[in-house]
């Protein structure tokens, strides 16, 4: 059975910023489940989600949080599945704090991270991880890349034609 993505957010206030992640997963036909779980407000819930994720068929975890965002690190502490942080734009530091919390993990328990507010890329990256063992997802990713390249070629032609008409 195809592996799924577990998309966890630290608060329901993160939901809107995560929309591009689940939309991207849907566009690629990747199954996902969402959960709200906070590393500091509901640590037992995070622990339970992390420890059961592999047996439930998840292949990658996207952990979205803002502020001093330890959600991804705590997930990684309790599972050997790949964990990708999605730093949320929030508060005085606008997401820089969440980004640094993710990318500065001490050695031994790594997490990856997309950029601040990088939910769309989180969807693509999760799909890329699953594509290592799922040829159907790999084919859909390849098709998307080709479509994207075609759009660049069309933009190139448009710009050239516009400038030629001046
Ligand atoms: C983080 O604190 C959440 O992930 C969210 O980005 C931020 C604010 O949460 P709320 O106070 O809106 O619930 O833990």
């Amino acid at each position: 059975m195809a592996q799924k993505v577990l998309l966890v957010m630290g608060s329901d206030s993160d939901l809107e910023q995560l929309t591009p992640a689940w939309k991207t997963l849907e566009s690629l036909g990747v199954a996902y489940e969402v959960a709200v779980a906070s590393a500091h407000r509901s640590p037992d819930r995070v622990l339970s989600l992390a420890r059961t994720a592999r047996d439930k068929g998840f292949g990658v975890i996207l952990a979205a949080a803002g502020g001093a965002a330890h959600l991804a690190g705590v997930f990684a502490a309790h599972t050997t599945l790949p964990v990708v942080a999605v730093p949320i734009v929030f508060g005085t530091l606008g997401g820089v704090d969440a980004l640094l919390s993710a990318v500065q993990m001490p050695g031994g328990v790594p997490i990856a991270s997309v950029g601040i507010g990088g939910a769309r890329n989180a969807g693509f990256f999760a799909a890329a991880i699953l594509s290592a063992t799922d040829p159907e997802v790999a084919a859909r990713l390849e098709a998307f890349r080709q479509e994207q390249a075609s759009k660049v070629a069309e933009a190139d032609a448009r710009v050239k034609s516009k400038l030629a008409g001046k």
Side-chain angles (χ1 to χ4, degrees), residues 57-71:
F58 294 107
V60 53
I61 295 167
L62 298 181
H70 30 259
L71 185 62

Side-chain angles (χ1 to χ4, degrees), residues 21-56:
W22 58 259
K23 283 200 168 168
T24 299
L25 293 171
E26 286 187 358
S27 75
L28 294 167
V30 175
Y32 65 93
E33 289 180 24
V34 295
V36 178
S38 166
H40 50 282
R41 293 170 180 160
S42 63
D44 292 344
R45 181 166 167 69
V46 170
L47 185 67
S48 166
L49 284 166
R51 288 198 171 155
T52 57
R54 189 182 290 277
D55 287 345
K56 286 179 181 165

